[in-house]
Amino acid sequence: MQQTINVLENINSPEDLKKLNLNEMNELAREIRECIIKKVDTIGGHLGPNLGIVEATIAMHYVFNSPVDKIVFDVSHQCYPHKILTGRKEGFINPDLYLKYTGYTAPEESEHDMFKIGHTSTSVSLATGLAKARDIKGEKENIIALIGDGSLSGGEAFEGLDNAATLNSNIIIVVNDNDMSIAVNQGGLYANLKYLRDTNGEGECNFFKTLGFDYYYVNDGNNIQKLIETFEKVKDINHPVVVHITTLKGKGCNLAEQNKEMFHWIMPNTIKNFGQPASKIEDYATTTADFILRKKEEGMPIVAISPATPAVTGFTQEFREKMGQNYVDVGIAEEHAMAFASGLAKNGARPVLGVMSSFVQRAYDQISQDLALNNNPATILVFWGAISGADATHLTCFDIPLISNIPNVVYLAPTNKEEYLKMLEWSTSQNEHTVFIRVPAGKLISSNNKDNTDYSILNKYQVAEKGSKIAILGLGNFFYLAKDVKEKLKQELNIDATLINPKFISGIDKELLNSLKYDHKIVITLEDGILNGGFGEKIASYYGNSDMKVLNYGAEKDFPDRVPLDVLYQRYRLTQELILEDVKACL
Amino acid sequence: MQQTINVLENINSPEDLKKLNLNEMNELAREIRECIIKKVDTIGGHLGPNLGIVEATIAMHYVFNSPVDKIVFDVSHQCYPHKILTGRKEGFINPDLYLKYTGYTAPEESEHDMFKIGHTSTSVSLATGLAKARDIKGEKENIIALIGDGSLSGGEAFEGLDNAATLNSNIIIVVNDNDMSIAVNQGGLYANLKYLRDTNGEGECNFFKTLGFDYYYVNDGNNIQKLIETFEKVKDINHPVVVHITTLKGKGCNLAEQNKEMFHWIMPNTIKNFGQPASKIEDYATTTADFILRKKEEGMPIVAISPATPAVTGFTQEFREKMGQNYVDVGIAEEHAMAFASGLAKNGARPVLGVMSSFVQRAYDQISQDLALNNNPATILVFWGAISGADATHLTCFDIPLISNIPNVVYLAPTNKEEYLKMLEWSTSQNEHTVFIRVPAGKLISSNNKDNTDYSILNKYQVAEKGSKIAILGLGNFFYLAKDVKEKLKQELNIDATLINPKFISGIDKELLNSLKYDHKIVITLEDGILNGGFGEKIASYYGNSDMKVLNYGAEKDFPDRVPLDVLYQRYRLTQELILEDVKACL
């Protein structure tokens, strides 16, 4: 597919856009859409959100004067049209440059990007700060936050709206209402948005007005002319205003329009290969879902919870239907999800909450106060916890220090399917502990041996292979790297190292660690996450008063941005060879 | 003052309450109030919130059947009347038993307490979990959440309301509207509550209705009869409902009615000594306020921010008036506060946010994503960070692992006034880093020497006294304990230890640590917070491949509940004598 980029050809900044007439802008929208569809189906990325917001982005840049006027994109997963219009179109037209720009706003790329953003519900608060600073300095620019309806359920968005409404000066909140979060919207607020749509914005009982906002409604948020008219009305306004626009998620791509959840974010070639029978692969997500369904069928009052990311955790459409009232998508609301799970556990249900590592950190206080302090027996599954080559906004390496340092929490790290299932069995049947499980990242690994461990005996590490001189603690995902290191030590140094599967991230097996002192000189720890505050440092501290040498391996404290995993592994010395080098220096 | 407890005499459970007539209940309210005032002015505690909620608590226990019906108290700082009515009155009548019960709900004390709660905005989510579990089990009890208007601004409360509204079954949210948070309410929502009060609950534009709640209004929430009538209407209701009641914070104590912020939580004898001229003591709070005011007067676009706890951070009424538009109380909204600070910094203002250690953990994701990832130069002051004998809900020992393991953040630990001021000077004038400062806990200490450190040179520890054999790193508050340990080592072992003031919590001075290897055998770290994930473990890890012995001191991973500080110090071996013992065992 060759793109036709007639109008886009001459657009290198928002200034160029201001010279276009309406017909040209409509053609521009078509061209932008074509670029986005082609690029995203080639390298993957956010499709639906970007297709829906093309016209609104054109209209915003037509009316406002970025970067003097400042636009903050919530989640910034809908910033592709903005990037195309602000000097970065080559990254969307030229396949060789597809990876040049990140999928999120990035101030280092352009003065038109205010913040590096990837988590949800932050735009209103950030924009309120920009606006307040403007007022303090006596300046006059427009401050705009573009937030999707799905993001509105996040507590930070509400806190921001509540404060923004009292600003008494210019702030423009554009609410992009496409009637979808990643999955279908959940929460009482969405009935109000529907009511506002149904009344063409004229209904009295208006969420935004209750907070004190002035309010405008645009019933066709994919109509550039209507958008421009409304944005011109609110430009330079002297008080807080919400512009509620209704758009079509996925617009211009039939498949995305019809399969909104599936086409929110896609892997490469999803459009090309659509309709080909998907081979059902067994993985940790399907294992999770199968376990929960089985327990429900057995009569357990089990409740599966998702904070708006059900697909990741195996909570497919089929799963949701089978679970019925035992499945709850709470919307983007990680804080609520934790407290909700605590309440469920307290009253005798068996909550199992699936959450991604990058987002579990949105609920630290709730994990600590609502769950752990109360020792309520909820099961929280942390998915994708690992060092990865992801965007800096979506790293998944911080959950170990975050969770494992909270008192009372039992944080488990299975290394294969059987351990994972046994841990699930235990955690959903006990009444004493708040249990987190770091679901293994990557492909499902089976040991083909039933795990008979009694996990109610806390902090008991498993000695997988007994050796001497060197002990290797391979936590969770990195148990296999530990095996490789053991092999390397045998090959190169003829040392039979002890291989340990700690299983418990949140506690120390003092008995085992003490016993190692008799015939081991070096303990190596490997964890698939940030070292700082993590597992290995505790081992080092434990041995601090002894002669044991301790080598900790994991990620450095940093926000690497789309750095390939093999580069990171080299940087962090997470290879057999580099670890061998360090061991040799220690002997 | 002798209490008259005629009616209360016979109340040992909610069952007893149900036998009373209205006159007796009114007398009971008076007696409860008398007990609370006397107790709180004797041992300190939450006064205003408890005095305001007496009648509503009586009415709730009269109408509902606790503990089958379940009441969740938000923050639970207004649970004293509830405790008095549920078998724990002795703790409020008998001064010898004043300390028997905690100031918060505690399931280990009574089956009428659902959760251990002390942080804000959690009740609706917790109650929603209880309600959902009830539905799954096919049971029928009432689930009630009692939440104050101040708590409504917290994001978790909104997330909870948004989800609760969709329950499709019984949940009763009692909104106790006394028109106050700890300080005056802040946020657009409060104009709506006022509008609802002004229209006797009949206004169309109703925040709770926008979310889908049924809604009842009680204009005199200190009138037992009216409350009972309304609660009887909503008892066993089959859908989510909000009961909005207007109460008088501090009711029955003139001083508390008239000085709502001051009498929210009081120290012992505040009523007795009211009106005596307060000696203005210079402390870290006044130092903070004075610094900020001076910078404002010098023309710096400095903005002081408080998430609804201004008194703690020195932001007095006088300070607020002098700061004018440069002071912002965002309400209970820690997440917003962080993102707001990021926006301010991005647009050229100089935000200084003061937050308590126990509550900074409500905003981990915002610290990481909104601030640190963007390297926006905000200054965040963490107050009261220390091991303490506080309630388990209000511990202040978790901020070091929470904050210092986030990439990019510079977390500083001053040990005296001069260092603190120099750090403030630096952090509010630089443009590269998000800076957190752990404001020293306890009394102000002055070195009487100007601090000339250049804090832009990161992670440079200060060698306060050069010695050999043993090095002691005394972080922040514990620098003085380190000095004591040094003295002890000299006295008992004739060792001239090296004394180090690390100043940087968030980074390691590798050069210094390496240099210590030449003439030191033992490094001791002391930190006034939890050891797990903290400062000392990083030092242990750093020395893991060397012969250096490392002894880490700090708090164990636990939620101690009102354990006296000297007991904790013994438990954690945080005394000269116990550290000396450990050193001897290591030599």
Side-chain angles (χ1 to χ4, degrees):
Chain A
M1 171 170 134
Q2 187 55 46
Q3 291 120 326
T4 47
I5 47 164
N6 297 318
V7 181
L8 185 53
E9 184 71 39
N10 297 310
I11 306 292
N12 296 306
S13 80
E15 284 309 302
D16 297 327
L17 176 65
K18 292 178 203 301
K19 300 166 198 155
L20 302 184
N21 63 34
L22 188 63
N23 281 341
E24 290 165 329
M25 283 193 271
N26 282 323
E27 167 59 15
L28 177 64
R30 201 197 56 70
E31 293 175 12
I32 288 176
R33 224 165 232 126
E34 207 174 280
C35 290
I36 290 173
I37 293 171
K38 187 174 173 213
K39 171 174 175 172
V40 174
D41 201 41
T42 305
I43 66 159
H46 280 102
L47 186 64
N50 283 300
L51 293 179
I53 205 66
V54 173
E55 288 81 6
T57 309
I58 291 172
M60 280 195 295
H61 278 302
Y62 182 83
V63 173
F64 299 104
N65 298 309
S66 175
V68 174
D69 292 334
K70 296 173 176 62
I71 308 170
V72 185
F73 291 81
D74 205 273
V75 196
S76 82
H77 62 326
Q78 78 297 61
C79 70
Y80 295 5
H82 164 77
K83 291 203 173 190
I84 291 171
L85 295 173
T86 53
R88 288 167 280 181
K89 66 183 179 193
E90 58 179 4
F92 295 80
I93 294 170
N94 181 347
D96 295 337
L97 299 177
Y98 274 173
L99 294 174
K100 179 165 182 187
Y101 303 109
T102 77
Y104 303 93
T105 55
E108 70 273 19
E109 285 179 8
S110 166
E111 60 180 354
H112 296 278
D113 291 9
M114 291 297 116
F115 301 95
K116 219 170 171 63
I117 298 181
H119 283 199
T120 179
S121 311
T122 72
S123 62
V124 179
S125 290
L126 292 167
T128 306
L130 294 176
K132 180 74 186 176
R134 172 204 59 202
D135 296 345
I136 294 282
K137 295 187 295 173
E139 292 169 356
K140 291 287 170 204
E141 75 266 19
N142 289 276
I143 305 292
I144 302 112
L146 172 65
I147 184 166
D149 49 333
S151 295
L152 287 177
S153 60
E156 187 181 358
F158 177 74
E159 292 182 359
L161 287 169
D162 189 43
N163 191 228
T166 65
L167 251 188
N168 208 18
S169 63
N170 171 289
I171 187 166
I172 299 162
I173 318 288
V174 179
V175 174
N176 173 31
D177 179 6
N178 58 30
D179 201 21
M180 280 292 287
S181 183
I182 298 173
V184 172
N185 274 322
Q186 303 294 338
L189 174 62
Y190 298 102
N192 191 247
L193 294 186
K194 179 173 188 317
Y195 162 78
L196 292 175
R197 292 194 301 270
D198 290 349
T199 58
N200 202 32
E202 284 166 17
E204 277 289 320
C205 194
N206 177 318
F207 173 73
F208 305 106
K209 285 188 180 174
T210 68
L211 298 179
F213 285 97
D214 194 1
Y215 175 84
Y216 287 76
Y217 180 70
V218 180
N219 70 357
D220 182 357
N222 295 106
N223 181 313
I224 294 176
Q225 185 172 7
K226 285 187 181 180
L227 289 164
I228 288 176
E229 283 166 14
T230 305
F231 290 148
E232 282 182 339
K233 282 183 201 155
V234 300
K235 185 180 180 183
D236 300 325
I237 204 164
N238 66 357
H239 58 270
V241 61
V242 164
V243 179
H244 177 187
I245 69 174
T246 302
T247 65
L248 180 62
K249 188 167 182 172
K251 185 176 167 71
C253 173
N254 281 339
L255 287 173
E257 288 181 22
Q258 284 152 27
N259 305 278
K260 291 194 173 71
E261 182 177 345
M262 184 187 296
F263 284 83
H264 174 83
W265 186 97
I266 60 171
M267 300 286 287
N269 302 314
T270 302
I271 297 175
K272 278 189 205 77
N273 300 335
F274 189 79
Q276 293 182 16
S279 53
K280 200 194 164 185
I281 296 166
E282 187 189 8
D283 59 18
Y284 288 106
T286 63
T287 301
T288 306
D290 291 348
F291 172 85
I292 293 172
L293 280 171
R294 182 161 53 79
K295 288 295 162 185
K296 175 168 184 282
E297 281 156 21
E298 290 169 13
M300 182 185 276
I302 196 164
V303 179
I305 308 166
S306 178
T309 50
V312 172
T313 52
F315 302 165
T316 59
Q317 197 57 47
E318 187 189 343
F319 172 88
R320 299 172 213 171
E321 280 160 21
K322 283 187 184 164
M323 289 293 285
Q325 70 159 345
N326 291 52
Y327 169 72
V328 183
D329 181 340
V330 295
I332 295 178
E334 292 86 358
E335 300 187 307
H336 168 69
M338 294 292 171
F340 179 59
S342 181
L344 280 159
K346 171 72 182 176
N347 205 8
R350 295 290 179 183
V352 179
L353 165 61
V355 60
M356 293 163 75
S357 168
S358 190
F359 303 143
V360 73
Q361 67 190 39
R362 294 174 68 82
Y364 176 93
D365 194 50
Q366 291 69 35
I367 299 171
S368 175
Q369 296 273 319
D370 297 333
L371 271 173
L373 181 63
N374 285 282
N375 268 319
N376 280 337
T379 301
I380 317 291
L381 308 176
V382 180
F383 280 79
W384 295 13
I387 300 167
S388 81
D391 293 84
T393 48
H394 288 76
L395 298 174
T396 48
C397 57
F398 300 112
D399 57 281
I400 290 179
L402 190 93
I403 295 163
S404 70
N405 294 318
I406 297 175
N408 293 0
V409 168
V410 177
Y411 196 15
L412 298 168
T415 68
N416 60 41
K417 175 186 170 185
E418 289 74 17
E419 288 174 7
Y420 179 46
L421 282 171
K422 182 74 181 182
M423 290 172 184
L424 279 171
E425 282 281 355
W426 171 69
S427 70
T428 55
S429 61
Q430 54 81 42
N431 295 309
E432 289 77 38
H433 306 288
T434 301
V435 177
F436 280 65
I437 304 178
R438 198 176 206 232
V439 182
K443 284 185 188 159
L444 186 115
I445 295 172
S446 172
S447 70
N448 296 317
N449 288 310
K450 198 165 175 235
D451 180 12
N452 293 314
T453 310
D454 177 359
Y455 289 102
S456 72
I457 303 167
L458 299 185
N459 304 327
K460 195 159 171 48
Y461 299 174
Q462 184 196 25
V463 177
E465 295 180 57
K466 179 83 186 86
S468 65
K469 286 188 185 159
I470 298 174
I472 314 167
L473 279 69
L475 188 69
N477 305 328
F478 274 1
F479 179 69
Y480 303 95
L481 175 59
K483 280 180 99 158
D484 291 346
V485 170
K486 177 180 159 63
E487 216 166 276
K488 192 83 177 171
L489 292 173
K490 179 69 186 166
Q491 284 168 9
E492 304 282 330
L493 303 175
N494 199 29
I495 291 175
D496 276 315
T498 297
L499 179 67
I500 295 170
N501 176 3
K503 294 186 175 181
F504 290 85
I505 309 177
S506 49
I508 281 190
D509 186 342
K510 293 183 184 177
E511 196 183 326
L512 176 63
L513 293 190
N514 278 340
S515 75
L516 293 179
K517 287 180 188 168
Y518 296 103
D519 49 357
H520 292 74
K521 296 279 177 212
I522 300 176
V523 167
I524 297 170
T525 71
L526 302 170
E527 61 199 288
D528 198 0
I530 186 176
L531 265 179
N532 295 57
F535 175 77
E537 291 182 349
K538 286 170 188 57
I539 307 293
S541 175
Y542 185 78
Y543 282 122
N545 65 354
S546 78
D547 293 325
M548 187 73 84
K549 296 277 203 321
V550 179
L551 302 177
N552 296 142
Y553 292 89
E556 286 166 22
K557 187 168 73 167
D558 191 13
F559 288 120
D561 202 5
R562 303 189 302 162
V563 178
L565 195 53
D566 56 340
V567 175
L568 290 178
Y569 279 4
Q570 284 288 323
R571 186 182 295 172
Y572 304 149
R573 306 185 68 77
L574 282 163
T575 69
Q576 287 174 298
E577 290 73 22
L578 293 169
I579 293 170
L580 179 72
E581 262 182 34
D582 296 341
V583 168
K584 280 183 182 165
C586 233
L587 284 172
Chain B
M1 173 170 132
Q2 187 55 46
Q3 290 121 327
T4 46
I5 48 165
N6 298 318
V7 181
L8 184 54
E9 185 70 40
N10 297 310
I11 305 294
N12 296 306
S13 80
E15 284 309 302
D16 297 327
L17 177 65
K18 294 179 202 298
K19 301 164 198 157
L20 302 185
N21 64 34
L22 188 63
N23 282 341
E24 290 166 329
M25 281 193 272
N26 282 325
E27 167 59 15
L28 177 64
R30 201 197 57 71
E31 293 174 13
I32 288 175
R33 228 167 229 125
E34 206 174 281
C35 292
I36 290 173
I37 293 171
K38 187 176 171 211
K39 171 173 175 173
V40 174
D41 200 41
T42 304
I43 66 158
H46 281 101
L47 187 64
N50 282 300
L51 292 179
I53 205 68
V54 173
E55 288 81 7
T57 310
I58 292 172
M60 280 195 295
H61 278 301
Y62 182 85
V63 172
F64 298 105
N65 298 309
S66 174
V68 174
D69 291 335
K70 296 173 177 63
I71 309 171
V72 184
F73 292 81
D74 205 272
V75 197
S76 82
H77 63 325
Q78 78 297 59
C79 70
Y80 294 5
H82 165 77
K83 290 205 173 188
I84 291 171
L85 296 173
T86 52
R88 288 167 281 181
K89 66 182 178 195
E90 57 178 4
F92 294 80
I93 294 171
N94 182 348
D96 294 339
L97 300 176
Y98 274 173
L99 295 173
K100 180 164 181 185
Y101 303 109
T102 77
Y104 304 93
T105 55
E108 70 273 19
E109 285 179 8
S110 167
E111 61 181 353
H112 296 279
D113 292 7
M114 291 297 116
F115 301 95
K116 219 169 172 63
I117 299 181
H119 282 198
T120 180
S121 311
T122 72
S123 62
V124 179
S125 290
L126 292 167
T128 306
L130 294 176
K132 181 73 187 177
R134 172 204 60 202
D135 297 345
I136 294 282
K137 295 186 297 175
E139 293 170 358
K140 290 286 170 205
E141 75 267 19
N142 289 277
I143 305 291
I144 301 112
L146 172 65
I147 184 167
D149 50 333
S151 295
L152 288 177
S153 60
E156 186 180 0
F158 176 76
E159 292 182 0
L161 287 169
D162 189 44
N163 191 228
T166 65
L167 251 187
N168 209 19
S169 63
N170 172 287
I171 186 166
I172 299 162
I173 318 287
V174 179
V175 174
N176 173 31
D177 178 5
N178 59 30
D179 200 20
M180 280 293 287
S181 183
I182 298 174
V184 172
N185 274 321
Q186 304 294 339
L189 173 62
Y190 298 102
N192 192 244
L193 293 186
K194 179 175 188 314
Y195 162 80
L196 293 173
R197 291 194 304 270
D198 290 349
T199 59
N200 201 32
E202 287 168 13
E204 277 289 320
C205 192
N206 178 318
F207 173 73
F208 304 105
K209 286 188 179 173
T210 66
L211 297 178
F213 285 97
D214 194 0
Y215 174 85
Y216 287 75
Y217 179 70
V218 180
N219 71 355
D220 182 359
N222 295 106
N223 181 313
I224 294 176
Q225 185 173 7
K226 286 188 180 179
L227 289 163
I228 288 175
E229 284 166 15
T230 306
F231 289 148
E232 282 180 341
K233 282 184 202 156
V234 299
K235 186 180 179 182
D236 300 325
I237 204 165
N238 67 356
H239 57 272
V241 61
V242 164
V243 179
H244 177 187
I245 69 174
T246 302
T247 64
L248 180 61
K249 187 168 182 172
K251 186 178 165 70
C253 173
N254 280 338
L255 287 173
E257 288 182 21
Q258 285 153 27
N259 305 280
K260 292 193 171 74
E261 182 177 345
M262 185 187 296
F263 283 85
H264 175 83
W265 186 96
I266 60 172
M267 299 287 286
N269 301 313
T270 302
I271 297 176
K272 278 190 205 75
N273 299 335
F274 188 78
Q276 293 182 14
S279 52
K280 200 193 164 187
I281 296 165
E282 188 188 7
D283 59 18
Y284 288 105
T286 63
T287 300
T288 306
D290 291 347
F291 172 85
I292 293 172
L293 280 172
R294 181 160 54 80
K295 287 296 165 187
K296 175 166 183 285
E297 281 157 20
E298 291 170 11
M300 181 185 274
I302 196 164
V303 179
I305 308 166
S306 178
T309 51
V312 173
T313 52
F315 302 166
T316 60
Q317 199 55 49
E318 188 190 342
F319 172 88
R320 299 172 213 171
E321 280 160 20
K322 285 187 182 163
M323 289 294 284
Q325 71 159 345
N326 291 52
Y327 169 73
V328 184
D329 181 340
V330 296
I332 295 177
E334 292 85 359
E335 300 187 307
H336 168 68
M338 294 294 171
F340 179 58
S342 182
L344 279 160
K346 172 72 182 177
N347 205 8
R350 294 290 177 183
V352 179
L353 164 61
V355 60
M356 293 164 75
S357 168
S358 189
F359 303 143
V360 72
Q361 67 190 40
R362 294 174 68 83
Y364 176 93
D365 194 49
Q366 290 70 35
I367 299 171
S368 176
Q369 297 273 321
D370 297 333
L371 271 173
L373 181 62
N374 285 282
N375 268 319
N376 281 337
T379 300
I380 317 291
L381 308 177
V382 180
F383 280 79
W384 296 11
I387 300 167
S388 81
D391 293 84
T393 47
H394 287 78
L395 298 174
T396 49
C397 57
F398 300 111
D399 56 280
I400 290 178
L402 190 93
I403 296 163
S404 70
N405 294 319
I406 297 175
N408 292 1
V409 169
V410 177
Y411 196 14
L412 297 169
T415 68
N416 59 41
K417 177 187 169 185
E418 289 74 19
E419 287 174 9
Y420 179 46
L421 283 171
K422 182 74 181 183
M423 290 171 182
L424 280 171
E425 283 282 353
W426 172 68
S427 71
T428 56
S429 62
Q430 54 81 41
N431 295 309
E432 289 76 37
H433 307 289
T434 301
V435 177
F436 280 64
I437 304 178
R438 197 177 205 232
V439 182
K443 286 186 186 157
L444 185 116
I445 295 172
S446 171
S447 71
N448 296 315
N449 288 310
K450 199 166 176 229
D451 179 13
N452 293 314
T453 311
D454 177 359
Y455 289 101
S456 72
I457 304 167
L458 299 184
N459 304 329
K460 191 156 175 50
Y461 299 174
Q462 183 196 24
V463 178
E465 295 181 57
K466 180 83 185 86
S468 65
K469 287 188 184 158
I470 298 174
I472 314 167
L473 280 68
L475 188 70
N477 305 328
F478 274 1
F479 180 68
Y480 303 96
L481 175 59
K483 279 181 99 159
D484 292 346
V485 171
K486 176 180 160 62
E487 216 166 276
K488 192 83 175 170
L489 293 173
K490 179 67 186 168
Q491 282 168 11
E492 305 281 331
L493 303 176
N494 199 29
I495 292 175
D496 277 314
T498 296
L499 179 66
I500 294 170
N501 176 2
K503 294 186 175 182
F504 290 85
I505 309 177
S506 48
I508 281 190
D509 185 342
K510 294 184 183 175
E511 196 184 325
L512 176 65
L513 294 189
N514 278 340
S515 74
L516 293 179
K517 287 180 190 167
Y518 297 103
D519 49 358
H520 292 74
K521 295 279 176 212
I522 301 175
V523 167
I524 298 169
T525 70
L526 303 170
E527 60 199 291
D528 197 1
I530 187 177
L531 265 179
N532 295 57
F535 175 78
E537 291 182 347
K538 286 168 188 61
I539 306 292
S541 175
Y542 186 77
Y543 282 123
N545 65 354
S546 79
D547 292 324
M548 186 73 83
K549 297 275 202 320
V550 180
L551 302 178
N552 296 143
Y553 293 89
E556 286 166 20
K557 187 169 72 167
D558 190 14
F559 288 120
D561 201 6
R562 303 188 304 161
V563 178
L565 194 54
D566 55 339
V567 175
L568 290 178
Y569 279 6
Q570 283 289 323
R571 187 182 293 170
Y572 304 149
R573 305 185 69 76
L574 282 164
T575 70
Q576 286 175 299
E577 291 73 21
L578 294 169
I579 292 171
L580 179 72
E581 261 182 34
D582 296 341
V583 168
K584 280 183 184 164
C586 233
L587 283 172

